[in-house]
Amino acid sequence: MVQKAKTRQQIANEYGISAKTLSRWIKNRNLPIDNGLLTPIEQKIIYEALGLPPIANKKV
């Protein structure tokens, strides 16, 4: 499966939070995340630091 870049809003939606809250969480944990779209590598860093979002944990 090929992962694509996501916006902060898309990641925030996965966690059920605002993009501003996500930015605070990233900043408070000193994660090495650049501005702009979140690459698959940056997404992995976020998921490892914050845990998988509830949407990703749901089984179909």
Side-chain angles (χ1 to χ4, degrees):
M1 183 173 96
V2 177
Q3 283 189 326
K4 297 183 179 181
K6 293 182 182 178
T7 65
R8 281 174 170 64
Q9 186 62 57
Q10 288 173 308
I11 300 288
N13 289 344
E14 293 175 4
Y15 284 100
I17 59 174
S18 71
K20 186 172 183 174
T21 298
L22 178 65
S23 292
R24 277 196 306 265
W25 288 3
I26 290 169
K27 181 178 178 183
N28 289 341
R29 287 167 177 80
N30 295 318
L31 301 179
I33 307 296
D34 292 327
N35 292 331
L37 289 175
L38 299 168
T39 66
I41 293 170
E42 291 173 325
Q43 293 171 45
K44 183 179 179 193
I45 291 168
I46 291 170
Y47 294 145
E48 288 176 353
L50 304 178
L52 289 177
I55 291 173
N57 288 327
K58 288 184 180 178
K59 294 187 179 183
V60 179

